[in-house]
């Protein structure tokens, strides 16, 4: 079964895409938690951070997260979040990096 994010990347489910390359796709979160909230999603459907992410891919996703943050004009800063597993609040079982910005974000998270 393709993951929700594979179906988005295949164009079966519409998305507001802001970036893509051969390794990952970035689109806006459907339920944004900040003025800018995008998801950096690897094309390979790794289930979570705990499932075989390699250093090269991890690095690429973070480099793209910063690239998109700059593209989105988040010059005052932003937050990168990876939810992992049930206790981490992960709801889509396809690894993704949240990039949130455009307002001052609170800490700690709930
Ligand atoms: P997580 O809870 O860390 O697994 O994050 C999953 C994210 O996917 C949530 O922030 C959802 O709002 C987002 N999401 C769910 N469905 C869609 C969709 N069709 N398009 C864009 N984002 C989505």
């Amino acid at each position: 079964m393709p993951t929700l994010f594979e179906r988005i990347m295949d164009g079966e489910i519409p998305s507001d895409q802001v970036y893509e390359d051969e390794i990952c796709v970035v689109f806006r979160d459907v339920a944004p938690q900040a003025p800018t909230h995008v998801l950096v999603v690897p094309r390979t459907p790794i289930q979570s951070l705990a499932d075989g992410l390699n250093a090269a891919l991890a690095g690429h996703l973070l480099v793209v997260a910063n690239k998109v943050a700059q593209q989105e004009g988040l010059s005052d800063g932003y937050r990168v979040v990876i939810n992992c597993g049930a206790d981490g609040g992960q709801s889509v079982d396809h690894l993704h990096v949240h990039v949130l910005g455009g307002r001052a974000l609170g800490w700690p998270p709930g």
Side-chain angles (χ1 to χ4, degrees), residues 20-62:
E20 72 173 323
D21 62 26
E22 67 282 3
I23 295 169
C24 67
V25 173
V26 184
F27 49 84
R28 295 192 192 283
D29 197 293
V30 77
Q33 301 302 308
T36 294
H37 185 177
V38 298
L39 304 173
V40 183
V41 182
R43 292 185 184 277
T44 303
I46 295 165
Q47 189 174 326
S48 82
L49 192 57
D51 291 281
L53 176 63
N54 66 56
L57 178 57
H60 185 81
L61 297 178
L62 289 178

Side-chain angles (χ1 to χ4, degrees), residues 72-93:
E72 292 288 315
L74 302 179
S75 54
D76 288 336
Y78 59 91
R79 183 170 294 165
V80 168
V81 174
I82 301 175
N83 295 323
C84 181
D87 279 2
Q90 184 175 1
S91 62
V92 176
D93 287 336

